[in-house]
Amino acid sequence: MRFGKRAAWILLVLASVFLLLNTPLVWKWMYPIKYEQQIVTAALKYKVDPHLVLAVIRSESGFATDRVSKKGAVGLMQIMPETAQWIVKEAGFRPKDSQYLYDPVMNIEIGTWYLDFLMSRYDGDIVKVIAAYNAGPGKVNGWLSSEEWNGTRETIEGIPYGETRQYVQRVLYYHDRYKNIYDFQLR
């Protein structure tokens, strides 16, 4: 009988933990949003899904504004300085100083503009957009034209670069998570 009470107690505790873990409060704690207003503002301005912007930021920098990659990508959305210079010129942005990629507002604005640019280029195909954000449009166009990869979610394993393949999977995972957790909040 003693074992029965102990087993019931353990089962009750495990069930409680499971139910607690599956609450919106816990999910929001596991997948927080920083710079929400800046993300929503830029997403609305450029007509980009804010969940995609969140997923890119989470994957790229984990919301760290001072992050610099080994390759030199900077800030929240890990933008290469050369790409940022091109975007600033194309979009007519007016950065305040040379450290503008460390500014969360400017970084989100530039990165979201670039996502919009890629969305236009790839007819809104989020998988190709994410791959191009990581590897560059030239590489993605090459893979598509040589039929190394057909650009679909079902064939992500066919992406020739392991880093890009993992990146696309990670961003899609975070996109789905943020969309499920914050679907009504980010509009």
Side-chain angles (χ1 to χ4, degrees), residues 14-159:
L14 288 175
S16 299
V17 168
F18 175 76
L19 290 173
L20 178 65
L21 285 177
N22 208 19
T23 63
L25 181 66
V26 172
W27 282 110
K28 287 180 180 184
W29 175 75
M30 290 173 58
Y31 295 92
I33 297 177
K34 294 181 182 177
Y35 310 104
E36 180 177 352
Q37 190 55 54
Q38 294 85 350
I39 291 167
V40 170
T41 299
L44 286 171
K45 182 176 182 179
Y46 298 109
K47 297 177 181 65
V48 173
D49 178 2
H51 304 101
L52 176 60
V53 178
L54 276 166
V56 168
I57 292 173
R58 172 83 183 245
S59 298
E60 290 285 2
S61 68
F63 295 95
T65 59
D66 60 348
R67 178 84 34 99
V68 179
S69 75
K70 293 176 192 170
K71 293 181 181 178
V74 179
L76 287 172
M77 296 188 76
Q78 289 292 278
I79 303 165
M80 292 298 289
E82 302 80 26
T83 303
Q85 288 173 355
W86 174 80
I87 293 169
V88 164
K89 186 178 175 185
E90 274 301 299
F93 291 125
R94 303 221 185 280
K96 294 176 186 170
D97 57 39
S98 62
Q99 299 295 305
Y100 65 91
L101 286 176
Y102 293 98
D103 172 28
V105 175
M106 194 64 164
N107 193 285
I108 291 167
E109 182 94 7
I110 290 171
T112 306
W113 183 95
Y114 190 52
L115 286 172
D116 177 51
F117 170 81
L118 293 172
M119 285 290 212
S120 295
R121 187 173 211 165
Y122 295 106
D123 298 321
D125 187 324
I126 191 172
V127 177
K128 292 174 189 164
V129 167
I130 296 167
Y133 193 90
N134 179 261
K139 290 290 183 198
V140 171
N141 293 342
W143 299 336
L144 295 170
S145 66
S146 70
E147 297 181 1
E148 285 182 84
W149 177 52
N150 70 10
T152 65
R153 189 173 188 151
E154 295 76 32
T155 61
I156 290 171
E157 288 300 322
I159 295 174

